Amino acid sequence: MILDKVFIFLAILLAHFLNGSNIFELGNAIRPDFMIIIVIFFAFRKGAMYGLWLGFFGGLLTDTSLGGEIGADNAVYYKIGLHSLSYAFVGYIIGKVTRNAYTENYISITIYVLGFTLLSRVITYFLFWMFFHSNHSYSFIYVSLYNAFIGPAIFFLLTWIFRLEADEVRQ
Protein backbone atom coordinates (compact mmCIF):
# COMPACT_ATOMS: atom_id res chain seq x y z
CA MET A 1 0.00 0.00 0.00
CA ILE A 2 2.73 2.46 0.93
CA LEU A 3 4.73 1.34 -2.08
CA ASP A 4 1.81 2.30 -4.33
CA LYS A 5 1.79 5.81 -2.92
CA VAL A 6 5.57 6.12 -3.30
CA PHE A 7 5.36 5.02 -6.92
CA ILE A 8 2.53 7.45 -7.65
CA PHE A 9 4.52 10.27 -6.03
CA LEU A 10 7.57 9.39 -8.15
CA ALA A 11 5.43 9.23 -11.30
CA ILE A 12 4.06 12.71 -10.60
CA LEU A 13 7.55 14.09 -10.00
CA LEU A 14 8.83 12.49 -13.20
CA ALA A 15 5.90 13.93 -15.15
CA HIS A 16 6.61 17.35 -13.65
CA PHE A 17 10.28 17.25 -14.69
CA LEU A 18 9.43 15.94 -18.17
CA ASN A 19 6.91 18.76 -18.63
CA GLY A 20 9.63 21.27 -17.80
CA SER A 21 12.21 19.77 -20.14
CA ASN A 22 12.64 20.34 -23.86
CA ILE A 23 13.36 16.68 -24.66
CA PHE A 24 10.01 15.94 -26.32
CA GLU A 25 9.35 19.41 -27.73
CA LEU A 26 8.43 19.54 -31.43
CA GLY A 27 7.99 23.27 -31.87
CA ASN A 28 7.24 26.45 -29.97
CA ALA A 29 4.04 25.27 -28.30
CA ILE A 30 4.05 21.59 -29.21
CA ARG A 31 5.11 19.56 -26.21
CA PRO A 32 3.24 16.79 -24.43
CA ASP A 33 1.51 17.25 -21.12
CA PHE A 34 2.71 14.24 -19.17
CA MET A 35 0.89 15.27 -16.01
CA ILE A 36 -2.59 14.89 -17.50
CA ILE A 37 -1.61 11.47 -18.88
CA ILE A 38 -0.60 10.39 -15.37
CA VAL A 39 -3.88 11.74 -13.97
CA ILE A 40 -5.89 9.95 -16.67
CA PHE A 41 -4.07 6.67 -16.06
CA PHE A 42 -4.56 6.62 -12.30
CA ALA A 43 -8.14 7.91 -12.49
CA PHE A 44 -8.99 4.97 -14.76
CA ARG A 45 -7.09 2.48 -12.65
CA LYS A 46 -7.83 3.64 -9.11
CA GLY A 47 -11.04 5.68 -9.30
CA ALA A 48 -12.45 9.14 -8.77
CA MET A 49 -10.73 10.09 -5.53
CA TYR A 50 -7.29 9.16 -6.85
CA GLY A 51 -8.04 11.17 -10.00
CA LEU A 52 -9.20 14.13 -7.95
CA TRP A 53 -6.20 14.25 -5.60
CA LEU A 54 -3.59 13.39 -8.20
CA GLY A 55 -5.07 16.03 -10.49
CA PHE A 56 -5.00 18.59 -7.71
CA PHE A 57 -1.42 17.97 -6.59
CA GLY A 58 -0.13 17.38 -10.13
CA GLY A 59 -1.80 20.62 -11.20
CA LEU A 60 -0.19 22.48 -8.31
CA LEU A 61 3.22 21.22 -9.45
CA THR A 62 2.43 22.34 -12.99
CA ASP A 63 1.26 25.75 -11.76
CA THR A 64 4.42 26.30 -9.72
CA SER A 65 6.51 25.99 -12.85
CA LEU A 66 4.57 28.77 -14.59
CA GLY A 67 6.04 31.54 -12.47
CA GLY A 68 4.54 34.97 -12.11
CA GLU A 69 3.38 37.66 -14.48
CA ILE A 70 3.70 41.40 -13.98
CA GLY A 71 0.34 43.09 -14.38
CA ALA A 72 -0.58 46.59 -15.48
CA ASP A 73 -0.27 47.86 -11.92
CA ASN A 74 3.31 46.50 -11.63
CA ALA A 75 2.17 43.77 -9.23
CA VAL A 76 3.23 40.17 -9.74
CA TYR A 77 0.35 37.75 -10.30
CA TYR A 78 0.87 34.02 -9.86
CA LYS A 79 -1.35 31.56 -11.67
CA ILE A 80 -1.57 28.99 -8.87
CA GLY A 81 -4.67 26.82 -9.11
CA LEU A 82 -5.55 26.95 -12.79
CA HIS A 83 -4.13 23.56 -13.73
CA SER A 84 -5.00 22.08 -10.36
CA LEU A 85 -8.67 22.85 -10.77
CA SER A 86 -8.86 21.57 -14.33
CA TYR A 87 -6.81 18.42 -13.68
CA ALA A 88 -8.77 17.63 -10.50
CA PHE A 89 -12.06 18.08 -12.33
CA VAL A 90 -10.99 15.88 -15.24
CA GLY A 91 -9.53 13.23 -12.91
CA TYR A 92 -12.74 13.09 -10.89
CA ILE A 93 -14.96 12.88 -13.98
CA ILE A 94 -12.84 10.08 -15.43
CA GLY A 95 -12.92 8.06 -12.24
CA LYS A 96 -16.61 8.63 -11.59
CA VAL A 97 -18.21 8.49 -15.04
CA THR A 98 -16.01 6.76 -17.60
CA ARG A 99 -14.11 4.24 -15.48
CA ASN A 100 -16.67 1.49 -16.16
CA ALA A 101 -16.41 2.00 -19.93
CA TYR A 102 -12.61 1.83 -19.98
CA THR A 103 -11.02 -0.98 -21.96
CA GLU A 104 -7.33 -1.63 -22.27
CA ASN A 105 -6.62 -1.28 -25.99
CA TYR A 106 -4.72 1.11 -28.22
CA ILE A 107 -7.72 2.79 -29.85
CA SER A 108 -9.68 3.47 -26.66
CA ILE A 109 -6.61 4.79 -24.84
CA THR A 110 -5.85 7.10 -27.76
CA ILE A 111 -9.42 8.42 -27.87
CA TYR A 112 -9.63 8.90 -24.11
CA VAL A 113 -6.28 10.67 -23.86
CA LEU A 114 -7.15 12.91 -26.83
CA GLY A 115 -10.56 13.85 -25.44
CA PHE A 116 -9.57 14.39 -21.83
CA THR A 117 -6.41 16.31 -22.70
CA LEU A 118 -8.49 18.58 -24.92
CA LEU A 119 -11.07 18.99 -22.13
CA SER A 120 -8.42 19.89 -19.55
CA ARG A 121 -6.76 22.35 -21.95
CA VAL A 122 -10.10 24.06 -22.68
CA ILE A 123 -10.94 24.32 -18.96
CA THR A 124 -7.48 25.70 -18.17
CA TYR A 125 -7.70 28.23 -21.01
CA PHE A 126 -11.14 29.33 -19.84
CA LEU A 127 -9.89 29.80 -16.27
CA PHE A 128 -6.82 31.68 -17.54
CA TRP A 129 -9.03 33.94 -19.65
CA MET A 130 -11.51 34.48 -16.83
CA PHE A 131 -8.95 35.46 -14.17
CA PHE A 132 -6.12 36.98 -16.21
CA HIS A 133 -6.29 37.55 -19.97
CA SER A 134 -6.55 35.52 -23.15
CA ASN A 135 -3.42 33.58 -24.02
CA HIS A 136 -3.13 33.32 -27.79
CA SER A 137 -0.15 30.97 -27.70
CA TYR A 138 -1.96 28.32 -25.61
CA SER A 139 -2.12 25.14 -27.66
CA PHE A 140 -5.19 22.91 -27.65
CA ILE A 141 -5.11 20.63 -30.65
CA TYR A 142 -1.37 20.00 -31.02
CA VAL A 143 -0.86 19.08 -27.37
CA SER A 144 -3.95 16.85 -27.43
CA LEU A 145 -2.80 15.08 -30.58
CA TYR A 146 0.71 14.66 -29.22
CA ASN A 147 -0.66 13.23 -25.97
CA ALA A 148 -2.95 10.89 -27.92
CA PHE A 149 0.04 9.68 -29.93
CA ILE A 150 2.27 8.94 -26.93
CA GLY A 151 -0.51 8.06 -24.47
CA PRO A 152 -0.76 4.33 -25.26
CA ALA A 153 3.00 3.87 -24.86
CA ILE A 154 2.95 5.64 -21.49
CA PHE A 155 -0.09 3.61 -20.42
CA PHE A 156 1.75 0.42 -21.39
CA LEU A 157 4.83 1.49 -19.46
CA LEU A 158 2.82 2.48 -16.38
CA THR A 159 0.82 -0.76 -16.56
CA TRP A 160 4.05 -2.72 -16.66
CA ILE A 161 5.53 -0.82 -13.71
CA PHE A 162 2.38 -0.39 -11.63
CA ARG A 163 0.85 -3.81 -11.14
CA LEU A 164 -2.72 -3.96 -9.87
CA GLU A 165 -3.79 -6.01 -6.89
CA ALA A 166 -6.10 -8.97 -7.57
CA ASP A 167 -9.16 -7.16 -6.18
CA GLU A 168 -8.54 -4.07 -8.36
CA VAL A 169 -8.60 -5.90 -11.69
CA ARG A 170 -11.92 -5.56 -13.50
CA GLN A 171 -13.16 -8.65 -15.27
Side-chain angles (χ1 to χ4, degrees), residues 17-18 21 31 42 44 56 64 69 116 140 143 169:
F17 289 121
L18 286 175
S21 72
R31 67 171 55 170
F42 285 110
F44 274 133
F56 178 74
T64 58
E69 180 178 289
F116 287 120
F140 298 99
V143 172
V169 177

Side-chain angles (χ1 to χ4, degrees), residues 147-159:
N147 275 3
F149 181 71
I150 65 170
I154 294 174
F155 266 56
F156 174 75
L157 181 67
L158 289 173
T159 302

Side-chain angles (χ1 to χ4, degrees), residues 26-45:
L26 293 179
N28 287 340
I30 305 173
R31 67 171 55 170
D33 189 356
F34 291 104
M35 193 64 73
I36 192 67
I37 295 174
I38 298 290
V39 170
I40 291 169
F41 176 80
F42 285 110
F44 274 133
R45 291 299 177 99

Side-chain angles (χ1 to χ4, degrees), residues 5 11 26 29 40-41 48 50 52 56 59 66 80 94 96 115 119 151-152 164 166-170:
K5 305 243 185 316
L26 293 179
I40 291 169
F41 176 80
Y50 268 81
L52 177 79
F56 178 74
L66 291 177
I80 301 296
I94 290 169
K96 200 63 160 174
L119 177 65
L164 290 176
D167 61 339
E168 293 176 327
V169 177
R170 281 191 306 117

Side-chain angles (χ1 to χ4, degrees), residues 83-98:
H83 286 94
S84 5
L85 184 62
S86 66
Y87 289 177
F89 176 74
V90 168
Y92 183 77
I93 292 299
I94 290 169
K96 200 63 160 174
V97 177
T98 63

